[in-house]
Amino acid sequence: MDRQFIPRSVQRSSFARFAAWILPWILLLGLGLYAMYLCLAEGLNQTNMDNRFAFGLWIYLDLTVIALGAGAFFTGFLLYILRREELKAVINSAVVLGLICYSGAVAVLMVDVGQPLRAWFTFWHPNTHSMLTEVTFCLTCYLTVLAIEYVPVVLKNRKLRQIPRFLVFEFELHKVMPVFAGIGTFLSFFHQGSLGGLYGVLVGRPFAFREVLGIWPSTFYLFILSAAAVGPSFVLLTTWLVQKLSGKQLVKPEVLRFLGKVSGWMLIVYVLLKTVDTLYWINHTAPAEGAPAYTFYTSPGFGTWILFAEIILLGLLPAIMLLSKRLRERPAVLVSAAFLACCGIVMNRFVMTIQTLALPTLPFDQMMSYVPSWQEIATFLAIVAYGVVLYSLSFRYMTLFPQERDIRQ
Amino acid sequence: MFPFIYEFHWTPVHVVFLGIFFSVVIVILSTLSIALLRSYKAFRKQQHETIQWEAEFEDLPVAARTCRHQITGEIAQRTCNHEFDCRSCAVHPTFLAQRAPVLAPAGKEESVFGFTMPLDRYYHRGHTWVKYEGEGVYTVGLDDFGKRMIGTPDAVELPAVGTTLTANGTGWMLKKERAALRILSPIEGVVVQTGTAQDGWFLKVRGREPIVETRHLLRGEEIKPWIMRELERLQAAVSPEGVGVSLADGGELVQDMWKQAPQVDWDGVWGEMFLQA
């Protein structure tokens, strides 16, 4: 019944099957919206956060999806600035993923901070000494850029492109896309970095505090690098997943291998610098703060295995797998490596947010525990559901993978 | 500069930080405005037909964008990136210098794989033909390949007399089942008369310039290899997904393919063959 809206020459499931797929996600989204309403109407007492454990599941989600969403800016940078034309095959999908990640993050922030009607205060009363102000500014601008980048994808819909005004606007917008790709790169560089810098300047939290390099703490640079390293892996992983779910080959294998290679090189540099940073922190920064590093790994459940898992298992290992041409040519290895790399960033952001706050900082402190409330979890799941719904609609009605038609032939 | 920001102070931190922020905002807004302004100008200059072709061409599968010199075997592999406008192609003249295909004398027809393809006219890659009738008037019609793919259309929407056509822009519309197909105009000009499928032609067009541009059109000895290529494309398009080309070789195409194979996604096949994304 919706064949007229689906791009020509590509096969999609029947509308009934698509509806059956999307309906549970819409219900989940509905539940999440109700939880968001409760938080905004009743206040943050709906959550299990308090004045001491002020960063919970939501901030963790924010940091994670923003890092994974870096695939949009980095793919755009490689395509429009470095002219890696093969990435045309995934750029639309990367833009949709970026938009989902960033708009989801902003939506959760709106609930987390509360008082969304006063969101403009951050621009009118900016605290120019706060890393969060930089993050807010960059996030807002970059979300605008992503929305603009998404417009041509939408306007290329089969029905919409029949409207001459839309067609012409899409064409002209496409011409200025390198400018937006450049701005996106610039903004991403700063907000990814500032999200990391935010933890690095926590002088009262020796687990997170890092030395300043230039004008920013080392976590500023590590966050940029890790996001840029994992972004292409996330695009690779989602493309593979969509191929599996749809039962179609959507891009040529060499495109995925190229994404893996880029991710591998970035990841190895990140692992190297992260190792140096960790060693310096263990030997200098933490002791100088009066807290020997081993004390952070004595709490139950938070042993040194975390360091091993984060740097070796989910950092070095996938980097080696992605860098080896022989291994990269085996799809199972390529996808597994991308999955491990994504898990690495998920773990890193967990360590930086949850572990940082959970660990005791004073001699009389206990290890704090925090379990998110159902409202927090429902809000989290709503963002996942929103992402699935928006991506599914985009995949069905827009051309996310232009090579699909070529491959069919 | 930023006195409108509450509690703004003329300190380096405020000026640098807010300066960068507002510069980014200005760049975003001005770039968006430029795109909007250009769109408005292009629309006012009636360039949307040209733009539509450029946009559609970019989205066509690689197999549909094969260079005419690859089709004729003059070059091993080459994909056109000039929207089939050979005027802007640097390579085209070098091939022409070696072998320039020419029109056959009037009335000469050739049966190419069962298709009747008169060689006294030019062919557009979107399956239309154009023939000079004298006194600046050209006749435009759908070629035999296109006719057999469509069969009898449910409706034909022809442009009104006096309409200006753009080369590669919309010539006329065909409706079949629920598909609406844009048939591309092979030349630029003004419509002076309209015909029907029974007439064997659809439009008579008067060229706007003294010499109508035909360099982008196929002719003479290019036709046979082109039709062969189109048959291959058609086979690929009608074959089930994931199976590849699976039709039996040999034989001739029936008059109304759509009727013979109703299970095929004809909307997609027609889009593919009539060069629409």
Side-chain angles (χ1 to χ4, degrees):
Chain A
M1 66 183 281
D2 58 345
R3 190 71 191 94
Q4 293 296 307
F5 295 90
I6 296 173
R8 268 201 175 103
S9 301
V10 297
Q11 297 294 317
R12 294 289 178 263
S13 59
S14 68
F15 184 75
R17 203 170 164 193
F18 178 68
W21 154 258
I22 214 148
L23 191 66
W25 297 105
I26 290 177
L27 292 175
L28 194 58
L29 181 60
L31 175 72
L33 289 174
Y34 174 65
M36 287 180 180
Y37 162 76
L38 283 178
C39 295
L40 290 173
E42 305 291 329
L44 291 178
N45 58 1
Q46 300 291 306
T47 74
N48 283 345
M49 288 182 284
D50 53 34
N51 286 342
R52 291 188 64 202
F53 215 114
F55 285 176
L57 178 68
W58 291 341
I59 289 291
Y60 167 52
L61 170 76
D62 276 348
L63 260 71
T64 306
V65 295
I66 283 172
L68 294 174
F73 100 79
F74 202 62
T75 310
F77 171 73
L78 291 171
L79 172 63
Y80 295 114
I81 312 293
L82 299 187
R83 312 298 302 174
R84 296 305 305 233
E85 298 289 330
E86 59 266 54
L87 292 178
K88 267 187 186 168
V90 290
I91 186 66
N92 288 354
S93 175
V95 165
V96 178
L97 287 172
L99 182 70
I100 289 167
C101 289
Y102 278 80
S103 54
V106 168
V108 168
L109 263 181
M110 185 188 77
V111 182
D112 199 352
V113 177
Q115 299 285 8
L117 294 179
R118 295 182 189 172
W120 59 274
F121 275 32
T122 192
F123 306 107
W124 191 250
H125 307 280
N127 174 5
T128 50
H129 300 282
S130 168
M131 291 253 177
L132 273 180
T133 304
E134 191 184 323
V135 171
T136 315
F137 279 24
C138 288
L139 273 188
T140 319
C141 288
Y142 188 48
L143 184 57
T144 310
V145 168
L146 279 169
I148 293 169
E149 288 180 338
Y150 186 54
V151 169
V153 181
V154 176
L155 293 184
K156 274 212 166 180
N157 168 269
R158 191 173 158 184
K159 275 286 171 193
L160 293 178
R161 72 190 301 166
Q162 288 174 3
I163 302 167
R165 282 175 204 277
F166 286 173
L167 182 90
V168 172
F169 183 52
E170 182 277 323
F171 186 76
E172 293 297 340
L173 209 48
H174 191 71
K175 281 189 196 167
V176 294
M177 219 34 89
V179 179
F180 289 116
I183 296 171
T185 305
F186 175 82
L187 292 169
S188 296
F189 183 87
F190 282 102
H191 73 250
Q192 296 282 1
S194 290
L195 279 171
L198 172 73
Y199 292 93
V201 297
L202 293 177
V203 70
R205 299 270 178 189
F207 179 71
F209 180 73
R210 293 292 189 277
E211 304 287 339
V212 169
L213 290 168
I215 57 171
W216 291 296
S218 59
T219 45
F220 179 94
Y221 308 99
L222 289 174
F223 262 53
I224 297 169
L225 260 177
S226 57
V230 172
S233 270
F234 187 59
V235 175
L236 189 164
L237 195 62
T238 45
T239 306
W240 174 83
L241 193 64
V242 178
Q243 288 190 148
K244 285 287 162 201
L245 288 174
S246 64
K248 297 173 199 315
Q249 194 188 338
L250 303 170
V251 298
K252 293 176 183 165
E254 53 264 35
V255 176
L256 297 185
R257 287 200 286 267
F258 178 71
L259 283 168
K261 187 180 170 185
V262 171
S263 202
W265 277 111
M266 298 294 292
L267 202 55
I268 198 76
V269 175
Y270 165 71
V271 168
L272 182 70
L273 294 179
K274 172 80 180 168
T275 307
V276 172
D277 177 70
T278 306
L279 289 174
Y280 192 83
W281 170 73
I282 289 172
N283 292 302
H284 297 278
T285 316
E289 287 277 301
Y294 72 86
T295 57
F296 298 115
Y297 297 99
T298 53
S299 305
F302 290 90
T304 47
W305 67 270
I306 287 185
L307 265 181
F308 173 79
E310 194 194 332
I311 299 176
I312 307 294
L313 193 61
L314 304 175
L316 186 63
L317 179 64
I320 291 169
M321 287 162 79
L322 291 170
L323 283 177
S324 159
K325 193 179 175 208
R326 195 170 51 83
L327 291 175
R328 214 167 46 228
E329 281 175 355
R330 296 165 69 175
V333 177
L334 182 70
V335 173
S336 304
F339 177 72
L340 288 177
C342 290
C343 288
I345 204 109
V346 169
M347 185 158 199
N348 174 262
R349 290 344 186 218
F350 175 84
V351 168
M352 295 303 288
T353 48
I354 306 297
Q355 194 178 353
T356 295
L357 287 187
L359 290 172
T361 49
L362 296 169
F364 50 82
D365 269 347
Q366 295 294 312
M367 174 86 178
M368 284 197 291
S369 66
Y370 151 83
V371 178
S373 67
W374 77 264
Q375 291 92 331
E376 286 175 81
I377 294 170
T379 305
F380 172 91
L381 292 176
I383 299 306
V384 177
Y386 153 74
V388 173
V389 170
L390 184 58
Y391 194 92
S392 301
L393 288 170
S394 302
F395 177 67
R396 187 173 178 82
Y397 298 114
M398 292 149 209
T399 306
L400 293 194
F401 300 101
Q403 278 183 355
E404 187 180 356
R405 284 179 77 178
D406 283 330
I407 289 167
R408 189 182 178 276
Q409 294 193 348
Chain B
M1 184 161 54
F2 311 108
F4 55 88
I5 296 286
Y6 186 75
E7 286 189 346
F8 174 78
H9 301 294
W10 288 101
T11 58
V13 174
H14 275 214
V15 172
V16 170
F17 180 74
L18 294 173
I20 291 173
F21 171 67
F22 283 109
S23 301
V24 168
V25 172
I26 287 167
V27 172
I28 293 172
L29 292 178
S30 53
T31 309
L32 194 59
S33 306
I34 287 169
L36 275 166
L37 195 67
R38 278 184 180 170
S39 312
Y40 176 72
K41 280 184 181 170
F43 198 76
R44 279 199 66 182
K45 287 183 187 169
Q46 301 280 314
Q47 290 175 332
H48 58 274
E49 288 280 0
T50 312
I51 286 175
Q52 181 163 15
W53 169 243
E54 281 186 43
E56 297 243 325
F57 187 84
E58 198 184 311
D59 293 341
L60 288 176
V62 173
R65 289 186 278 136
T66 312
C67 170
R68 64 200 289 178
H69 299 293
Q70 183 190 334
I71 291 173
T72 54
E74 293 163 275
I75 191 168
Q77 208 272 321
R78 185 175 161 81
T79 303
C80 178
N81 52 11
H82 298 281
E83 295 92 32
F84 291 151
D85 183 356
C86 305
R87 284 172 298 176
S88 57
C89 178
V91 181
H92 183 58
T94 59
F95 283 109
L96 281 188
Q98 292 166 23
R99 188 176 61 176
V102 289
L103 291 182
K108 190 185 176 191
E109 285 190 355
E110 186 160 320
S111 178
V112 183
F113 306 107
F115 297 104
T116 308
M117 306 294 284
L119 298 182
D120 57 352
R121 59 199 67 182
Y122 302 103
Y123 288 87
H124 185 269
R125 303 277 290 261
H127 291 290
T128 49
W129 54 261
V130 57
K131 187 183 175 193
Y132 186 57
E133 303 288 1
E135 297 179 359
V137 175
Y138 292 78
T139 308
V140 177
L142 194 65
D143 70 18
D144 197 23
F145 196 108
K147 277 188 215 163
R148 292 195 197 204
M149 276 193 295
I150 293 275
T152 309
D154 297 339
V156 180
E157 285 178 17
L158 295 170
V161 171
T163 306
T164 302
L165 300 181
T166 314
N168 303 314
T170 309
W172 65 97
M173 298 290 294
L174 288 184
K175 287 190 177 165
K176 178 86 173 187
E177 284 294 285
R178 276 183 290 179
L181 281 168
R182 237 162 45 91
I183 304 297
L184 304 180
S185 171
I187 53 164
E188 193 175 81
V190 179
V191 178
V192 291
Q193 197 181 343
T194 57
T196 63
Q198 287 74 33
D199 297 331
W201 55 272
F202 283 96
L203 304 173
K204 286 199 187 289
V205 176
R206 184 179 297 280
R208 286 203 302 179
E209 303 295 328
I211 299 170
V212 168
E213 186 56 64
T214 54
R215 268 183 288 179
H216 60 294
L217 301 171
L218 303 178
R219 67 202 71 180
E221 59 200 61
E222 289 177 309
I223 304 305
K224 191 173 180 181
W226 171 57
I227 290 295
M228 192 169 144
R229 183 88 183 180
E230 289 298 275
L231 269 172
E232 286 170 7
R233 285 213 305 129
L234 181 65
Q235 283 186 322
V238 297
S239 299
E241 195 169 336
V243 176
V245 178
S246 60
L247 291 184
D249 204 1
E252 290 180 7
L253 280 190
V254 292
Q255 286 297 331
D256 192 341
M257 288 183 64
W258 168 81
K259 217 179 252 176
Q260 305 300 324
Q263 76 285 359
V264 169
D265 170 25
W266 281 105
D267 180 34
V269 173
W270 291 328
E272 199 92 28
M273 301 307 296
F274 288 103
L275 306 180
Q276 280 154 57

